[in-house]
Amino acid sequence: MNSGAQFTGLDSTQNLRITGCDMLHARSFKPSQGLLRIMADGQLPILPVPGDLGLTDGQHTIQLKNCAIVPGSLHRLHADRDPKTWELRILDRRWAWQFPSATLRCNFRRLDGSRAEPVLNARELAAALFNVLGEPGADVSEVPTDAYPELIHDDAPIAETLQWLADRLALAGGLDHLSDAARLWALGSGDGLQNTFPQFAHTASYLTSTSQRPKRLRVVGGGHWFQTKFELEAVGLET
């Protein structure tokens, strides 16, 4: 097997072939980005959104599911040459992590020092957050079980809450490029991509397009305190 890249819906039966892919993959709750180059006879077909990206060095393969094509990123290289060569920007599936949000409260203390329900240790909390994020198979094995972070987040993005949790516990979060599963790592653990697949040691940095629009907008205000006066009448038992 030769080294190369594949993307769902783009194959040689459409008179095109993928000539290269540069992908920067990092531990983060924000998506990794890459450039996909395509050579085609004539116009490109309708591009799949989203699609699965496969990268191979001839011996090992990385599968990244549910990758998105950045709107407006498609452009032609070398306009005076045939066959036509196109380049487009793609994001791994963490592009969808920016949308889910929820109101979450756990482990906060009462005045007497006891914890109000629900009580979740850090690992249970991380698993619950990933589940809401749409990643029920996330690896949280490195998250401690003896910590009980006090969490009071109103209508907060789940990815931001996970980042808050990771910062408190000295963890790094993101997508494991080998298993294609969401994961939280202890800081300083794990091998680098270059040590695992030497031929994949390509890095680049690109800006995210602002042309992607959400399906809806929500405005959330802060909590409100109300004050009033009540007229009280003293009542006592007669003796």
Side-chain angles (χ1 to χ4, degrees):
M1 180 185 296
N2 297 323
S3 61
Q6 294 179 332
F7 195 82
T8 302
L10 300 179
D11 54 54
S12 58
T13 61
Q14 299 169 314
N15 296 320
L16 60 86
R17 63 188 179 93
I18 298 175
T19 60
C21 179
D22 295 324
M23 192 77 182
L24 172 65
H25 199 84
R27 293 178 181 178
S28 171
F29 290 101
K30 297 184 181 298
S32 291
Q33 306 182 44
L35 285 178
L36 195 65
R37 288 179 293 279
I38 304 167
M39 185 175 291
D41 294 328
Q43 295 297 318
L44 283 178
I46 297 176
L47 298 175
V49 180
D52 297 342
L53 175 67
L55 301 173
T56 180
D57 65 352
Q59 296 181 339
H60 309 89
T61 299
I62 294 176
Q63 288 287 342
L64 299 176
K65 298 178 181 178
N66 199 33
C67 295
I69 296 174
V70 177
S73 66
L74 178 67
H75 67 280
R76 184 179 174 184
L77 303 175
H78 314 300
D80 57 340
R81 299 181 186 178
D82 286 314
K84 298 180 177 65
T85 302
W86 304 83
E87 190 173 68
L88 54 86
R89 192 178 309 153
I90 56 176
L91 307 175
D92 70 23
R93 74 168 181 269
R94 283 173 286 182
W95 65 269
W97 289 8
Q98 61 184 308
F99 300 116
S101 62
T103 295
L104 305 166
R105 295 169 180 248
C106 67
N107 300 333
F108 61 91
R109 297 277 187 177
R110 297 188 181 95
L111 292 178
D112 62 3
S114 63
R115 289 191 175 94
E117 296 290 341
V119 177
L120 301 173
N121 64 45
R123 184 177 299 178
E124 293 170 334
L125 177 57
L129 290 171
F130 274 122
N131 191 59
V132 177
L133 197 62
E135 299 285 349
D139 183 353
V140 294
S141 59
E142 296 187 45
V143 181
T145 58
D146 56 353
Y148 293 83
E150 182 176 320
L151 176 64
I152 304 176
H153 283 190
D154 293 327
D155 201 46
I158 298 299
E160 292 184 9
T161 303
L162 277 165
Q163 183 64 67
W164 169 87
L165 181 65
D167 291 341
R168 286 177 63 92
L169 301 174
L171 302 169
L175 196 62
D176 191 327
H177 61 274
L178 297 179
S179 63
D180 193 37
R183 184 176 176 184
L184 283 169
W185 294 266
L187 288 181
S189 65
D191 294 330
L193 182 62
Q194 291 82 354
N195 295 333
T196 309
F197 294 139
Q199 296 186 36
F200 287 158
H202 300 290
T203 59
S205 178
Y206 310 104
L207 296 176
T208 301
S209 170
T210 58
S211 61
Q212 186 175 1
R213 295 178 175 85
K215 295 181 179 179
R216 60 188 175 88
L217 294 175
R218 180 190 300 174
V219 178
V220 179
H224 293 277
W225 292 89
F226 296 91
Q227 180 176 343
T228 188
K229 293 182 178 180
F230 296 92
E231 184 177 350
L232 305 177
E233 180 179 355
V235 177
L237 295 176
E238 296 183 358
T239 60

